[in-house]
Amino acid sequence: MQDGQKAYESYTVAVVSALGFEMSAVRYMLDREHPSLPNKDGDSNIYVLGELQGHKVVLACLPGNQGKGAAAIVATNLTRTFPSIIWRFFVGIGGGVPSKRHDIRLGDVVVSMPDAQHGGVVQYDLGKATDSGFIRKGFLSAPPSLLRSAVVKMESDHLVNDNKIKDFLDTMLRKGKRLSRYERPSNDMDVMFKADYPHNPLSITCEECDEQQRTTRTPRDGEASEIHYGLIASGDLVIKSTK
């Protein structure tokens, strides 16, 4: 029993995703995958175990339903089953909000970092409804200082050296043809429309959208993905409109 418990205690990093599609992207970037361990009583999570850059990693995914409640249950069960977890990351797909400071394009990566008022993640649907509108309240804690320091160093490194996103993707794509769905979208697919243009909610793509409503942006040199650092908005309410 002791040896079995040590197996659970050897994992120190957890990566949680909302969707299986997102978890699979992390799974196939692992250096190696480990055999599964038996679930403990009361733990309904299904885990993928592996190793990445010398760290033993636990991958978990929300069980089909999203939101803070589902995420809290997954995190609680994970912590109980793997008591030595030190670092926890939530990763996945998000909608970018370009600005003069952050020229976000399709296929870019955003890393959460705090600013003077927020801890790195803003829960946009936490607050109260008043006669004058919605007032957001609450404050989420910032990531641990060691992680923030690591992000600062990474940002500094990339002022001189290119990031390794393409290298990591190329390594993953060589593992199987079906992983081609994770290739970075081409620049031709990166089309942005005016903020007040209403899209057809039944359309999967923008092939039938009004081209006159497109905005003009300066083309980016090359197809490389960029990394942006700043606030990430999160909440139970899925935003499908700019209004």
Side-chain angles (χ1 to χ4, degrees), residues 6-242:
K6 284 184 177 180
Y8 293 95
E9 293 175 352
S10 65
Y11 290 88
T12 57
V13 178
V15 179
V16 179
S17 302
L19 304 174
F21 179 80
E22 300 165 340
M23 185 191 72
S24 294
V26 184
R27 178 180 186 179
Y28 294 109
M29 285 191 177
L30 294 172
D31 296 328
R32 60 185 57 85
E33 190 169 321
H34 297 165
S36 299
L37 293 172
N39 269 34
K40 294 190 175 181
D41 292 342
D43 187 350
S44 58
N45 294 343
I46 298 297
Y47 302 104
V48 174
L49 309 177
E51 189 171 328
L52 184 62
Q53 294 293 307
H55 299 279
K56 287 193 173 182
V57 182
V58 179
L59 308 184
C61 183
L62 303 193
N65 54 317
Q66 302 179 30
K68 297 187 297 296
I73 292 173
V74 169
T76 299
N77 287 335
L78 189 152
T79 300
R80 185 172 63 248
T81 298
F82 299 93
S84 299
I85 294 294
I86 300 174
W87 309 113
R88 298 165 178 84
F89 300 91
F90 195 89
V91 302
I93 302 168
V97 183
S99 65
K100 292 182 179 179
R101 181 180 177 185
H102 296 291
D103 182 28
I104 299 177
R105 304 294 177 100
L106 192 65
D108 283 356
V109 174
V110 177
V111 178
S112 168
M113 278 293 282
D115 65 4
Q117 294 181 315
H118 305 285
V121 176
V122 179
Q123 187 176 339
Y124 57 80
D125 56 357
L126 175 63
K128 60 182 180 180
T130 68
D131 292 337
S132 57
F134 182 79
I135 300 177
R136 185 168 43 80
K137 300 181 67 177
F139 182 90
L140 299 180
S141 299
S145 58
L146 182 58
L147 286 184
R148 299 200 305 270
S149 297
V151 171
V152 170
K153 181 181 183 300
M154 181 173 68
E155 185 175 9
S156 176
D157 290 344
H158 293 160
L159 293 176
V160 177
N161 303 308
D162 292 337
N163 66 61
K164 297 182 179 180
I165 293 176
K166 186 178 185 304
D167 296 337
F168 296 145
L169 283 175
D170 288 344
T171 299
M172 180 184 72
L173 294 174
R174 286 195 291 269
K175 295 181 178 180
K177 293 182 179 180
R178 292 185 178 181
L179 295 176
S180 61
R181 67 185 66 182
Y182 293 107
E183 286 184 312
R184 183 189 183 279
S186 67
N187 288 342
D188 294 337
M189 297 181 62
D190 187 11
V191 179
M192 188 168 69
F193 291 82
K194 296 177 182 178
D196 58 354
Y197 174 63
H199 292 259
N200 183 351
L202 300 179
S203 296
I204 299 177
T205 68
C206 288
E207 293 180 353
E208 299 180 359
C209 292
D210 185 358
E211 294 186 1
Q212 299 298 320
Q213 298 296 322
R214 293 183 177 185
T215 61
T216 302
R217 290 191 291 176
T218 303
R220 177 185 286 178
D221 294 334
E223 296 274 347
S225 297
E226 298 288 343
I227 302 177
H228 307 272
Y229 306 87
L231 299 179
I232 293 178
S234 179
D236 288 339
L237 180 66
V238 178
I239 297 178
K240 292 291 186 179
S241 173
T242 59

